[in-house]
Amino acid sequence: MNIGEIARRAGVSRSTVSYVLSGKRTVSEATRQRIQAVIDELDYRPNASARALKEGRTRTLGLVIPPASQRLTDMQLGFVASVVEAAARHDLDVLLSPSGGDHDRSFERIVSGRRVDGVVLMEIRLEDDRVTRLARTGLPFVTIGRTAEAHGMSWVDIDYAGLIARCVHHLADLGHRHVALVNRSAELVAAGYGPSHRALAGFQAAVAERGLVGVDVCCGDDTASGEACVEQLLGTHPDVTAVATINEAALPGMQRALTSAGLSVPVDFSVTGVAAQHWAEDFRPPLTAADVPMRDMGAEAVSLLLEIIAAPDSVPRHRLYSPPISLRSSTGPVRTH
């Protein structure tokens, strides 16, 4: 039994039945009683969507992702999957919406169209107009990542600055004196992408603290870029004996470039960084890295969002993840000649 059948038997429109069920608009008492009589006769029980309508909720969360024209990285896909899984455990749907590029209208429909109860926003810039827009509308939201001034919002994030600094200290403890940071793309850095800037800050601080010679390079999120990046790095900075990276998608290319240069990992060259666990384990030899807990972070983002939806005036909360560096096999003592 559905709303259409009730409307047919009561001799009214579907929208009139919806108004009675939701209470959002006034319906004449005679019409309301006629509709209610049909509902009672048919023993109709509103489904979850109808109950949500009555509550003024959609039981749908928005997940704002990078532009659809760009191939999502494996880590980004992991965050998408984790949010969808966490929402499903609460019997909620997820509406994906790209933003940036030519997708501003899609984001605007999410924000102003009353299509979702709240939003999880990914890939945050230090200065992010999307965050400002959401805050202005009052629509509940949580970010994966954070802006430069994130005190008034709820977020989950990775401590890229602290983790990359720990990677550098690990390399310094192994005797490496010339180290490099392989960052994300130049376009992301120029756009103020938070993880890239925080990783660079952590790298520079640790290099200065340990008295090392450090060089930072940008790299596209793909195998070919990783290969070209490390080839150029080895050519322009031959003294570099180790790299730290947050660009997991470039790892296969980095590995290929080192092999082509005749460098054995970790005997001749050490590699470490921040990556999803399976990327680290697929590296040869397995990568010494801080493993990003994507599943936990997605679940935490959904949990925080549901708290805000239930209590819009609650104090913003956040969670900064700083997983341990898993010592695998890609780092070793600097080779002395």
Side-chain angles (χ1 to χ4, degrees), residues 248-302:
E248 61 179 22
L251 281 170
M254 294 167 60
Q255 185 171 51
R256 187 182 299 171
L258 292 171
T259 300
S260 298
L263 297 174
S264 173
V265 177
V267 176
D268 303 307
F269 203 93
S270 289
V271 184
T272 184
V274 182
Q277 183 175 349
H278 77 89
W279 277 108
E281 292 177 344
D282 286 346
F283 195 78
R284 289 293 175 266
L287 187 72
T288 292
D291 301 334
V292 177
M294 295 177 293
R295 185 164 188 162
D296 292 345
M297 292 178 67
E300 181 78 7
V302 170

Side-chain angles (χ1 to χ4, degrees), residues 176 241 263-270 285 329-337:
H176 294 276
T241 59
L263 297 174
S264 173
V265 177
V267 176
D268 303 307
F269 203 93
S270 289
S329 308
S330 66
T331 53
V334 66
R335 185 170 186 175
T336 57
H337 300 282

Side-chain angles (χ1 to χ4, degrees), residues 8 34 37 46 75 94 101 128 167 195 203 205 226 243 248 255 286 312 325:
R8 188 185 66 80
R34 189 163 73 251
M75 188 177 296
V94 175
D128 202 309
C167 288
F203 177 78
V243 301
E248 61 179 22
Q255 185 171 51
I325 304 292

Side-chain angles (χ1 to χ4, degrees), residues 98-180:
S99 69
D102 299 324
H103 299 284
D104 288 341
R105 285 181 296 178
S106 176
F107 176 67
E108 188 59 30
R109 284 195 297 271
I110 282 282
V111 173
S112 60
R114 298 185 179 276
R115 305 169 75 185
V116 298
D117 298 323
V119 171
V120 176
L121 187 63
M122 291 174 49
E123 300 296 286
I124 306 301
R125 300 174 180 179
L126 296 177
E127 301 291 335
D128 202 309
D129 291 341
R130 300 169 304 167
V131 171
T132 304
R133 178 77 178 96
L134 284 167
R136 189 180 302 128
T137 65
L139 181 66
F141 73 96
V142 169
T143 60
I144 298 178
R146 66 197 193 278
T147 59
E149 299 294 334
H151 307 298
M153 54 190 273
S154 292
W155 50 265
V156 298
D157 201 3
I158 289 284
D159 182 14
Y160 283 100
L163 292 176
I164 286 296
R166 279 160 51 190
C167 288
V168 171
H169 286 300
H170 171 63
L171 295 173
D173 290 342
L174 292 170
H176 294 276
R177 309 303 301 168
H178 295 77
V179 299

Side-chain angles (χ1 to χ4, degrees), residues 37-48:
V38 174
I39 290 173
D40 294 341
E41 177 188 349
L42 299 176
D43 194 26
Y44 173 75
R45 294 290 182 271
N47 59 22

Side-chain angles (χ1 to χ4, degrees), residues 3 18-19 21-24 48-59:
I3 289 178
S18 295
Y19 297 152
L21 291 172
S22 67
K24 284 198 167 184
S49 296
R51 290 196 302 272
L53 182 64
K54 188 170 184 178
E55 296 166 1
R57 294 178 55 189
T58 65
R59 296 201 63 80

